[in-house]
Each structure stands twice: as C-alpha cells, then as structure tokens.
Amino acid sequence: MLYLDYLLSPWLFNVPKIKISNISLNSKLIIGGDLFVAKLGYNVDGRNYIIDALIRGASAVLVEINNLFLDTYIIYFGDVPIIYFLNLSKKLSFISQRFYPISNKLRLIAITGTNGKSTISHLIAQWVVLLGNTGAVMGTIGNGIYGDLCPSINTTESAVEVCKMLYRFSKQKADIVSIEVSSHGLVQNRVLSLPFTAAIFSNITIDHLDYHVDMKRYIKAKWLLFSKHDIDISIINIDDDVGKCWVKKISRVVCVTTNRNLFFGKNEYWLKLDNVKYNFNNTIIYFDSFWGKGIFSTKLIGKFNVINILLSLATLLWMGYSLTDLISTAKFLKPIVGRMEMFHSTNKPTVIIDYAHTPDALKKSLISARFYCKNKLWCIFGCGGDRDKSKRSIMGSIAEQLSDYVVITVDNSRYENPIYIINDIKSGFTNKNNKKYFLDRLKAIFSTILYVDNEDLVLIAGKGHENYQIIGNRYVNYSDHLVVGEALKKRYSF
C-alpha cells in the first residue's frame, strides 16, 4: 500500500493523500482501494472504461492525455480524483516500479530478437536452478518461478503487470529473472524503468510488419533495448548482420558467434563455437571463450539452438557462474516445450513440434529437421490471421523448397477467413505437386501421421506450446501435443 501523493510525487504536485492498495489497467479487476490507469492502447482505449472503474470502486484514476495544457489537471467524481497525466505510457513503468519495488538482489536479464527468446530465457532459468539458485521467467510460454508457470497473455506483459510479477518474484527470493522483451513491449515502454544486469540479442528477421510497417522501424524498435534502457552488459549474436553492426555502437558487450575463424583482442569479452557434432539424441558443443574452453553435450537439437545455448552460456559466465559448473550441468538441460521438440518411437514416424511462425524460423527448423529425417520430410503449418500478411507467401515458398510434402492448415485465424490465409500461403508455391490443404488443424496432423511411412519425419510448425486456437474472439481448447500423442497411439506399425 502507498499513498497516492507519495506515489506520484516525482511527477505531480497537489495530489490528494489517498491510500492505494493496487494498480490495474483492467477496469473489470478494479475493487475498492485500487488505482485505475486509463491509457491509450494499440487495440483498446482504456479511457473508455473510466466509468466502469469508478462504478467498481476505484479510489483514483490516472488518465493519459497528449495535451500539455491539461497536464496535472484534476477533476473529482464524488471524492475520487481523476488525474490527467501527459504521456502517461512513458512514465507508467516508473510509477509501477515505485509501487511494486524490486529487490536489488534480483538480477534481471532481458532477451530480445525475432526468434530464440523463449529458448534462451528458459535455458538460463533451467541452468540457474541446476546450479542451486532460483530462476524465474517471463515470456511467451508463461510467467513464474521456473517449473511453476502461469499462462501469459503477451510475450511482454504491461508495465504494471511486469513490475507486479517482479515484486512477487522478489518476495519468493528469486535470484535471476529472464524476461522476453518484444518489439511491441519496447515501443510501448513496458520495461523502461527496469535495471538489467544483461540484455541479450538473438537475431532479427522479418516479423510483425503489420505493427512496425517495415524492417527499418522493426530494427529501430529492437535497438531501443540497448540504447534507451539501463543495462550493465549486452550479449550480442554477431552472426546476425544487425548484431554485427550494433556491437560497434555498444560500449560494454560480449560477442557471441558460431564462426570459429573470428578472433578477439585481449580486452574483449567473447565466446565462440569451435566445433559441433549433431547426433540423433544429442548435440555435442566445443567452444572457446574469454573465460576458457570447454566441451559439453545437450539434448537440444537443431543448428539454431547452438547459438541460443552459447548466448545463454555467455550471459551466465559474465554473471560470475563457474565455467566448470556450467559445463557439468549442461547435459541436464531439457528441451523447451514446443521448440524443436521431438517425438520418436520404434516403428513409427518421427514428429517434431516447433513454434516456428516466421520465414527464418521455419527455414531453420526445416533445415534442422532434414538432418534427423531418414526418408521423406513433411511440413505442416499455417499462418496467423490479422497479422503480418507479407510473410505468408515467403513461408509457403520455404516449405516447398525444403520439404518433400507440404500440408497447409489453419493457425490462429482470429477474425480473418482461413481460406484467404491459405490462399496467401499458396501464392508462394511454384507448383501443385505434393501439397495438401485442411481447414481443420487436428485433421491435418492426425491424418498425416497416420498416412506417412515409418522412416518419414513430420515437422508441425507454428503453435509450439500453445494449448488453444484463436477463432474470432474465442480461445478454443486445442494442443498439437495432444493430437500428436493420440495419432501416434492410434497408428499401427507397418
């Protein structure tokens, strides 16, 4: 609990002294004692719900405005102050952290990039737990102490929810929190007040152009993490062209690469791949670094997971964890749910479930899947509705080039007609050979697994860990994992 005048004192004067017990952006969750924040969102304008919040008992309301002349103006609804706040969105992270203070012992790690954020964040949390500490994660798969996650609404939650969760993690004595930071979250200042021990950059490829319009703006959004936030060290993948450019502008940086032919100065922090061996059940990684050399085995598969592991390793080494301890525990790291997750049993086809929903991710997943495929490679995927349409035909082209058979189906169609989405994907094909189309994702997966040969491999891309489909505004229970499990059970050995 804080008094409203104290909470807002860095920015506003003449604020009444009212007890505030909670902050919320959702008027439906407001109860007596709460501060309702009415700000302009991307899809929803919270200012339209002020009356609802007042009816539910809000003790005060902060209203976002863009008019300088109304800034700090206060009107009253009964005895409830409604305070006009200029550019509230840019200050909300700071207000939230002031209300939900974070322990200075809690070390925060930000991860941004198009692909790999969830894998890196979960690898770090797992590794921390294996080394006897308490790790937490915030991101696409869920939020919470590692091993006890609650479903997330967004990759990066609102500024209020982020600080609220970090406050809870502080109370739970967490040591490290890995936070996936999306481009939306950066543009909308959701983590602006947070002090990050480290910030990791994985890669940038085409995505979210429905929001950012073009790649230039998308890259600029990602750069905000390194240019406008409080960061102790930046961990950068310099295999990526953008990352290679950024390291020239960052003063404190660890360079991470899979290029063994790169060499670094004695005053530089770095980690590079020396060699790698891909086996069916594991990957063996040889590396060299500022901290020393090493070899370890991991259950994670796929070439792109090598850089994810190296970025995680470099971060923990910088934070002071022992090279010997990290190497000895690496073999216990578990594959991340829905990220190149392989299902294999005797006399049945191999199935991989992956979250790949961008052109680059799909390309890398198919290239990696080919290594484990003994016969034909099948690719099942769809594209989300009401999202970046420009990538659909590109993904269709990639699937056609890199797999033997392509099965196009639905993903989260939302309000868009799934037939239009499928047609957009089809426009990337050069021929009609070896293509199948299903408006029912369950049927697409089930029938494919029952049909293919035992030596075939089926890559199911797009949904990964998700246990729902979004149709219109409805979340329908659905899981690729459950469908795959049932299909493999029903399939007879031929």
Side-chain angles (χ1 to χ4, degrees), residues 11 16 44 47 134 142 157 180 182 255 285 330 350-351 367 426 445 451 460 471:
W11 306 279
V44 177
R47 296 172 296 191
T134 301
E157 304 289 11
E180 295 178 47
S182 67
C255 296
I285 294 173
T350 298
V351 179
I367 290 172
K426 286 171 65 176
I445 295 171
Y451 176 78
I460 303 169
I471 302 172

Side-chain angles (χ1 to χ4, degrees), residues 188-233:
Q188 296 170 21
N189 303 295
R190 297 179 197 170
V191 296
L192 191 57
S193 70
L194 304 184
F196 291 109
T197 300
I200 303 170
F201 169 71
S202 61
N203 53 67
I204 284 186
T205 61
I206 185 171
D207 200 15
H208 302 306
L209 298 191
D210 55 312
Y211 181 81
H212 297 289
V213 181
D214 56 43
M215 285 299 295
K216 184 177 180 180
R217 296 184 196 184
Y218 180 40
I219 293 170
K220 186 177 180 181
K222 292 292 189 183
W223 173 242
L224 288 171
L225 177 60
F226 303 94
S227 61
K228 300 295 184 182
H229 291 68
D230 180 8
I231 295 167
D232 185 23
I233 190 72

